[in-house]
Amino acid sequence: MSAIPHTATPRRDTGLYNAKVGTWLFLAAEAMFFGALVSSYVFLRSASAEWPAARDVLPVGYAVANGIVLILLATASVKARRAARAGKGPKWLWICVVLAVCSVTLVALEHRIVGATGARASTSTFYGMYYLLSGIVRIHVGGGAVVTAWIAGPCRQFADIKPIRYANWVECLGYYWLFVFATSLATFVLVYVV
Amino acid sequence: MGSGMIRRFSILASACLVFAAASHAGSIAGTITYSGEVPKLPPVDLSGDPACAALHGDNPPANEVLVLGEGNTMGNVLVRVTKGYAVKEYPAPAQPVTLTQKGCQYSPRVFVLHPAQTLKIQNPDGIMHNVHGMPAVNTPFNRAMPKTLTEIEVQLPKVEDPFEIKCDLHRWMHAYCAVLDHPFYCVTTKDGVFEIGGLEPGEYEIEAWHEKLGKQAATVTVGADAPAKQDFQFTRPAKK
Amino acid sequence: MTEGIRHSARREPGWLRRAVSCDHKVIGIQYALTALLMLFVAFCMVLMMRWQLAYPESPFPFLSNFFGEDDTRMPKGVMLPNFYNQLGAMHGTYMVFLAVVPLLVGGFGTYLVPLMLGAPNLAFPRLSRVGYLCYLAGIVIISFSFITPAGPSNSGWTGYPPLSVIETGGQTYWLVGIAFVYLSSLFLAINLITSIVQLRAPGLSLLRLPFFVWSQLVTSYLLLLAFPPLAAAAVLQLMDRLEGTSFFLPSGLVVTGKPLDASGGGSALLWQHLFWFLAHPEVYVLILPAFGIIAEVIANNTRKPLWGYKGMVVSAVFMGFMSMLVWAHHMFLTGMGTVISTFFQATTLIISIPSIIMATSLLVSLWGGSIRFTVPMLFALAFLPMFGIGGLTGLPLALSATNIVLHDTYYVIGHFHYVVAPGTLFAIFAGVYYWFPKVTGRKLNDTLGHLHFWPSLLFMNAIFIPMLLQGLAGVSRRLYDGGATYGFGQEVFFLNKAATHSAFALAIAQLPFVINFVYSLRWGKKSADNPWDATSLEWNTPSPPRFGGNFDKPPRAHRGPNEYSVPGKAKDFSPQWEPEEA
């Protein structure tokens, strides 16, 4: 079986390895997905007769805390990438996992508090959008946590067998975390600030 | 009014009277009348389906939303006892209720079904209909009847107040069905007369219902011999 | 047969290992066969609908005893309106999402792109396997709704709310199925783009790529960027259906005389925007790979380089870009405002320019060529005028003034079927006849091919010309009885019979193809490695290409993709892989 070229080392004319191209394409699709949700939010908000100020009805403290956790998460993912390139252990990857779990828990708590006021997704389009956007971010953070744990744990053996590919994976994961951070930041600004 | 409709009313009327005659106990009787200005209702506009229009030629059927007799007596009013009758299992009538769509008109327009009774819906003209029943308690039904499907059966096993049955293809077609588990009701004909028999002496609450003019309730005390009298008068609600 | 293939045959794993492998050829064939099956299923659905349109409320032949009297779909073989709506929705869904796109991109793309790139496989082999499984899951979920008591979705392949939100059929299955189809095409697109960017053989610069690869590249970008908004819209609609939100339900909605129990505040138009943001580029997903196939077949059979190759590449890229800016021309009738309508009318007219450049380039390519009238070439030649009719009938729809008259009539049906049925489908057939020898090592029979082509050409037109005429007479689409009970339908009602008889004749005309396909797999004439004297890299492999590696030795590209009849050369084709003689 012939080997597929450029799985580890970059192609000379493009300067990229395959997984990096694939990750960027995936994130482009993700950006369109979030773009559509954000456009829907703007569309519905501008068309609606009344739209409550999110700062007044939602526990903004949780959202801020979650934002800080995600900043730390993005930073940790950069650290993890450097560690992987230097051939060091998966410490920073596990830190990423812990932070991601914190973030998911924070959103869950926030949902519980909002739910206790009697607000359901079906209450109004505002709450529907709130639950949807925060839920989608939560799914992304949770999914990222699973993949990060998978790379830090079961896939750890590849760090010795195929060190360059392993470092590539960690780098691609880092792009994902930066993307999640950027989109959740955009969502936060959209829902709470604008 | 076509001859079919007259026959239909006579059948309904005789059903009420036979029932009243069979009873040895007390009964409630009365007349439903309409007061106020009688609106001029144009005949049904059948132009939506040329096949239906062809069945009637130049003589389109009258609008049955308000059926009035001599002295503005009202037909198609459902009078029923709502409280006071002995709560027990009353047997369902042996025959199923038949709702026909002859001439692209539902007949009967207002009828009552026992929960255990079958509703047969017929399509004798070979014209496509779509029977759409919209009960709130029972499961709604929405059945298309192409020309090849001449009869369908519907079960409505739960007691329910009158609900609408309409045809999704012919917007002038409306019928109203109530599901009652007792025999103490009567649907009036053009003469507006109702009589509910077979009632033990005592106090009853009765209700008269019309598809557009709403419902009215009354409390009636039934004696052992003469029928208790209770008339109802409907009027057009004031415009908002 | 070469030494290499016999050598590899000994090492090749069994059919089961191969069937679940991640080899792009295996997955490509699986995509193609599955999609061909879906094509057949969707065609059967439309045959049943066509019967009802020509003979309203009459029992379908042979089926009157198959269904009981109480059947909720076809009592005694007579189709009920709800089932007609369900079949209509499913015909569109199967054709677009489950048949044609997977066939063009999943089948042809997955199989051929790595071969044309000179690569051993796609960039992410496991991802392409997962993508195929997602596609299968989508099929299973959407098809499963057929056996639920409520039946499949009946709100059209466009799933317009509020109907799609309140309908009680299988719309939820549809949404979940479409989400899986989305994942499948996302993985496909990532795989194809990465492969084209990264895995080109040495010497294969971007402008030496066969036009087919370019068409797949642009198509993949469209799938990558246009599909996510529909996925987001599907999530929103799922919330509406399952969680009771009102993203697509406006306030004050009254359903069968009763106010709807929902908070309201949403917008049905939002769905249309999100849907068409995918579904219009999807139209170009349907036609661009078809152009790619036709370009290869025409270059090969005219024995000439493509005329205006660079112009075609630029047009394809421009078309891909513009296709994301035309979606609201499906919504001229929604009252979104004349300013927006004018904008989308302008972009729609602009996007016809690259289409015309491509079609014209292909037409001019015929000029002065010594044309071989092979079966694939016949389909390719028929494609050009058929696509032309499809494209030109689109112009009156592009102008918002005329669109208002023609919107939702049979004219629209005729128009887009001309693009995708005698257009894209003919390209698919051209591709199947052209690459069958490469895929199977055997040629398809020519006589049966002619028996397939000529009746298909005739009956395709006999189906869709009546639709254009009916539409001009004002007959609405989606009518259960084909206009029998409508005054405006009377004068053109007889055309329903013409179209229906032609549709059944078209079905019969596909028999030679099916026979040919099955017969040639086993008993067809053995094919050489390069039976058409073609030039692109896929013909540098054994027929069929070696499992798990494709090429006997890594190829290198020495020239452009269609170097036919180069002056001064001994033979009339100069393959990409042959080094320049010193």
Side-chain angles (χ1 to χ4, degrees), chain A residues 6 11 14 16 18 121-122 132, chain C residues 198 200 225 236 244-245 263-264 548:
Chain A
H6 313 302
R11 182 183 163 104
T14 60
L16 305 163
N18 294 347
S122 55
L132 180 72
Chain C
Q198 294 285 96
R200 280 170 287 124
L225 299 179
L236 291 171
T245 56
S263 70

Side-chain angles (χ1 to χ4, degrees), chain C residues 493-517:
Chain C
F493 185 72
F494 72 98
L495 289 172
N496 278 328
K497 288 200 173 64
T500 297
H501 296 165
S502 305
F504 279 88
L506 182 68
I508 293 168
Q510 303 314 301
L511 284 179
F513 173 70
V514 177
I515 294 168
N516 199 356
F517 196 93

